[in-house]
């Protein structure tokens, strides 16, 4: 009975390991093909062909192509956010220095061979614009990115951190689309110049408000 138990346990471990390996290969293959060719243009056969798995394995692990798309977006979003935040935080410095690193970081991403734009913009762009499933995942991703930028904007001394964060986010999205269309990483430099031109006015606005505040309130 003891041997049987060990045997079953070993099989479970092997099976779990096989599933994790297959899941990783399917996610990697789907991510590459969805980003390069588009979600609608990529069939299940192409994904399993690149991943080297059986069709039954894909359905066992994800249930459907739609669930696989969701998993890809969740995975890609998490990886991209971790990279993005690390890239602007690396090296330390004050908040303005970190915000100024946004577009040089994007430029390095734009120059990668496998840069195909933002998977969230692409997913929403090629589906029914009234569909909520991909939009909800995209907005969840955007909120995390915006929250970090807004935090830095507040630390920098912006009068309206949320407004500055949304302005920078628009420049980020515009640069991503422009780089995807033009295949020119240098668009990040132009967007970066526009971004840096927002910093001083954002801080000056706060200073102006403070200078107009009664002295007794400043001491509170």
């Amino acid at each position: 009975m003891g041997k049987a138990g060990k045997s079953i346990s070993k099989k479970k471990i092997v099976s779990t390991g096989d599933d994790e390996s297959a899941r990783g290969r399917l996610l990697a293959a789907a991510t590459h093909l969805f980003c390069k060719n588009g979600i609608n243009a990529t069939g299940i056969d192409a994904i399993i062909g690149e991943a080297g798995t059986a069709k039954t394995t894909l359905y066992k692990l994800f249930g459907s192509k739609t669930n696989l798309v969701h998993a890809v977006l969740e995975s890609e979003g998490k990886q991209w956010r971790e990279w993005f935040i690390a890239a602007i935080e690396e090296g330390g410095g004050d908040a303005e220095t970190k915000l100024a690193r946004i577009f040089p970081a994007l430029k390095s991403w734009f120059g990668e061979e496998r840069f195909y734009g933002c998977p969230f913009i692409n997913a929403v762009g090629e589906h029914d614009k009234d569909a909520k499933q991909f939009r909800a995942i995209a907005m969840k991703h955007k909120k995390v990115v915006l929250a970090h930028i807004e935090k830095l904007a507040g630390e920098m001394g912006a009068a309206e951190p949320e407004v500055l964060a949304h302005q920078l986010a628009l420049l980020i999205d515009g640069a991503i689309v422009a780089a995807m269309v033009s295949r020119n990483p240098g668009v990040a430099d132009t967007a970066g110049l526009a971004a840096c031109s927002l910093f001083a006015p954002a801080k000056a606005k706060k200073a102006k408000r403070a200078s107009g505040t009664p002295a007794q309130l400043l001491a509170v």
Side-chain angles (χ1 to χ4, degrees):
M1 187 171 179
K3 288 183 179 179
K6 288 181 181 178
S7 177
I8 291 171
S9 176
K10 186 175 181 181
K11 286 180 180 178
K12 284 183 178 179
I13 292 171
V14 171
S15 176
T16 300
D18 289 345
D19 283 352
E20 286 301 312
S21 174
R23 179 182 174 83
R25 295 199 308 277
L26 284 166
L27 277 175
T31 298
H32 176 222
L33 294 173
F34 288 160
C35 291
K36 183 176 184 291
N37 303 325
I39 295 169
N40 291 329
T42 301
I44 293 296
D45 289 341
I47 296 170
I48 62 175
E50 180 156 325
T53 64
K55 187 178 292 187
T56 52
T57 302
L58 185 151
Y59 286 110
K60 172 190 172 185
L61 295 173
F62 296 99
S64 66
K65 179 183 175 182
T66 298
N67 289 343
L68 176 58
V69 174
H70 287 181
V72 165
L73 292 177
E74 292 284 359
S75 174
E76 276 294 280
K78 183 175 183 294
Q79 290 183 47
W80 192 91
R81 291 190 300 272
E82 289 176 351
W83 163 79
F84 177 75
I85 291 173
I88 62 178
E89 291 287 342
E90 187 177 3
D94 60 21
E96 185 171 338
T97 299
K98 294 175 182 179
L99 288 172
R101 290 193 186 114
I102 289 176
F103 293 93
L106 292 180
K107 185 177 182 179
S108 70
W109 178 40
F110 297 163
E112 292 179 5
E113 184 180 351
R114 285 195 172 191
F115 169 71
Y116 302 118
C118 170
F120 298 98
I121 294 174
N122 296 346
V124 173
E126 69 170 292
H127 286 84
D128 183 346
K129 301 307 174 288
D130 291 327
K132 296 179 180 179
Q133 53 180 342
F134 299 125
R135 191 181 305 280
I137 299 175
M139 290 307 297
K140 178 183 174 183
H141 166 76
K142 183 176 283 293
K143 283 179 180 178
V144 176
V145 176
L146 274 169
H148 192 76
I149 295 175
E150 184 178 339
K151 179 180 77 71
L152 290 176
E155 292 173 2
M156 183 189 75
E160 299 172 306
E162 183 179 5
V163 172
L164 180 58
H166 278 277
Q167 290 173 326
L168 294 175
L170 284 173
L171 288 170
I172 290 169
D173 287 346
I176 291 171
V177 173
M180 179 180 65
V181 173
S182 68
R183 309 304 297 175
N184 176 15
V187 299
D189 295 330
T190 303
L193 288 172
C196 290
S197 72
L198 297 171
F199 297 160
K203 291 189 291 183
K205 192 173 182 181
K206 186 171 184 178
K208 185 176 180 181
R209 285 182 181 177
S211 65
T213 304
Q216 64 269 27
L217 293 182
L218 289 175
V220 173

